Amino acid sequence: MSDLSGPVLRLLLDGQPRTRAELIDLSGLARSTVTGRIEELVAAGLVVPSGEAASTGGRPPARFRFNPEARLILAADVGATHLSVALTDLTGEILDRSTTALNIAKGPEAVLSAVVRAGHALLKKAQRSADDLAGTGVGLPGPVEHSTGRPNHPPIMPGWDSYDVVARLAGEFAGPVLVDNDVNIMALGEHATAYPEVEHLLFVKVATGIGAGVISGGRLHRGAQGAAGDIGHIQAPGHTELCRCGNTGCLEAVASAAAIAAQLNTSTSQDIVELVRAGNAAATAAVRQAGREIGTVLAACVSLLNPSVIVVGGSLSQAGDSLLAGIREAIYARSLPLATTDLRVVTSRTGRDAALRGAAALVLQHQLTAS
Ligand SMILES: [Zn+2]
């Protein structure tokens, strides 16, 4: 089976049908090279004939287009208490999915076995085989060494440290297995789906914890140890609350859903969201203040990275305008005008799909853009 990389396929990824002559012009490759590559891609089902272009005399030239369902991607979003698994096509569009309640603390064997079962069930339902997969993308709720796919001292994932996630899944499904932390894949998913033209984007997840994914120059930045964007443990000015990391005054200890829930004597993000939606004044004020604390930290990120879009996602972003208003208030008060002239601060458009779309994007970027 031919691989998914190379300039001819890359030119067709936008979905536009093209003739051989157009592909030769655009790629700068020799006619024989382009013709040979199209034959390979058609044989693999990745490219299909798509009508004919207008004739300029003689036989009208055939057009070819990308076939996004030639292969599928298995995307898994492993949360602290849920597992979502989806099949996507080669554009990252979700074709089918299943979601179950599952505690990450059950350990890698139990959780990854559930991923395998869900993956095979979705493939069977779609009448496709494990060999039809271009790869598997997995998001985990903790730090991951992306090059090996192994969790790196994850705080809420007992038994997962250094576990070989790739080896466990590679035997089950065709193609590479790529693993990253949940915030990075949400950033990738939001970027690929809603802002493909934006070069500098910051995705902020506000849920039980707080973290960010950094897209700069069009690509995800993970940092030296995969810890880039871990803004939850930056100190919130003037605070001394004890954080689960052992430090005091961390943003997460002050402004996460867990911190707000403790103030309001509730327990989950969903409780807070419901209180805000019901017009509860204390909940609304607490969420807005959390937004200000997050915005103060983000103002420093704005100075450092100069993003043009900050996307706020995660379960607490469902609380509506209060969180966003607090974040905007602090960012605009603390940033220089040049950095905020064209800055948009918005709620996630992909919502719950961000992680699944991002897990697919991990595989797509690996497979389609390698040259
Ligand atoms: Zn901390």
Side-chain angles (χ1 to χ4, degrees), residues 34-250:
V34 170
T35 301
R37 182 66 180 140
I38 290 174
E39 278 173 17
E40 282 171 22
L41 291 167
V42 169
L46 287 162
V47 163
V48 291
S50 178
E52 292 164 342
S55 171
T56 52
R59 193 159 61 97
R63 279 188 169 137
F64 298 91
R65 69 167 176 83
F66 178 50
N67 174 23
E69 292 198 26
R71 310 265 194 91
L72 303 176
I73 293 170
L74 187 66
D77 164 27
V78 183
T81 55
H82 78 271
L83 168 67
S84 288
V85 179
L87 282 180
T88 80
D89 69 13
L90 289 174
T91 67
E93 193 73 41
I94 294 171
L95 304 174
D96 197 3
R97 75 178 82 201
S98 64
T99 300
T100 48
L102 185 62
N103 194 330
I104 189 85
K106 289 202 160 174
E109 264 311 316
V111 172
L112 295 175
S113 294
V115 171
V116 167
R117 282 196 303 276
H120 284 303
L122 288 168
L123 283 165
K124 190 175 175 197
K125 201 169 146 201
Q127 298 183 310
R128 302 288 289 257
S129 87
D131 289 334
D132 288 338
L133 291 175
T136 299
V138 181
L140 296 175
V144 173
E145 187 181 67
H146 179 66
S147 59
T148 61
R150 291 173 189 261
N152 192 355
H153 298 93
I156 60 163
M157 299 166 57
W160 285 80
D161 187 28
S162 295
Y163 187 87
D164 196 346
V165 176
V166 174
R168 174 69 184 89
L169 297 178
E172 297 283 345
F173 305 112
V177 178
L178 296 144
V179 191
D180 210 332
N181 75 60
D182 54 354
V183 188
N184 279 348
I185 66 164
M186 289 169 91
L188 281 174
E190 186 77 18
H191 181 246
T193 309
Y195 301 97
E197 78 293 350
V198 170
E199 291 269 296
H200 304 279
L201 177 147
L202 204 55
F203 184 96
V204 185
K205 179 188 175 190
V206 187
T208 307
I210 295 176
V214 181
I215 308 264
S216 183
R219 50 179 287 269
L220 181 70
H221 286 260
R222 297 184 170 89
Q225 309 295 335
D230 199 358
I231 63 169
H233 303 280
I234 293 177
Q235 189 174 23
H239 284 277
T240 55
E241 290 88 333
L242 185 64
C243 179
R244 64 187 165 98
C245 74
N247 276 334
T248 55
C250 292

Side-chain angles (χ1 to χ4, degrees), residues 279-300:
N280 181 290
T284 305
V287 169
R288 184 159 183 140
Q289 182 55 31
R292 290 188 192 103
E293 304 287 359
I294 295 165
T296 302
V297 167
L298 288 178

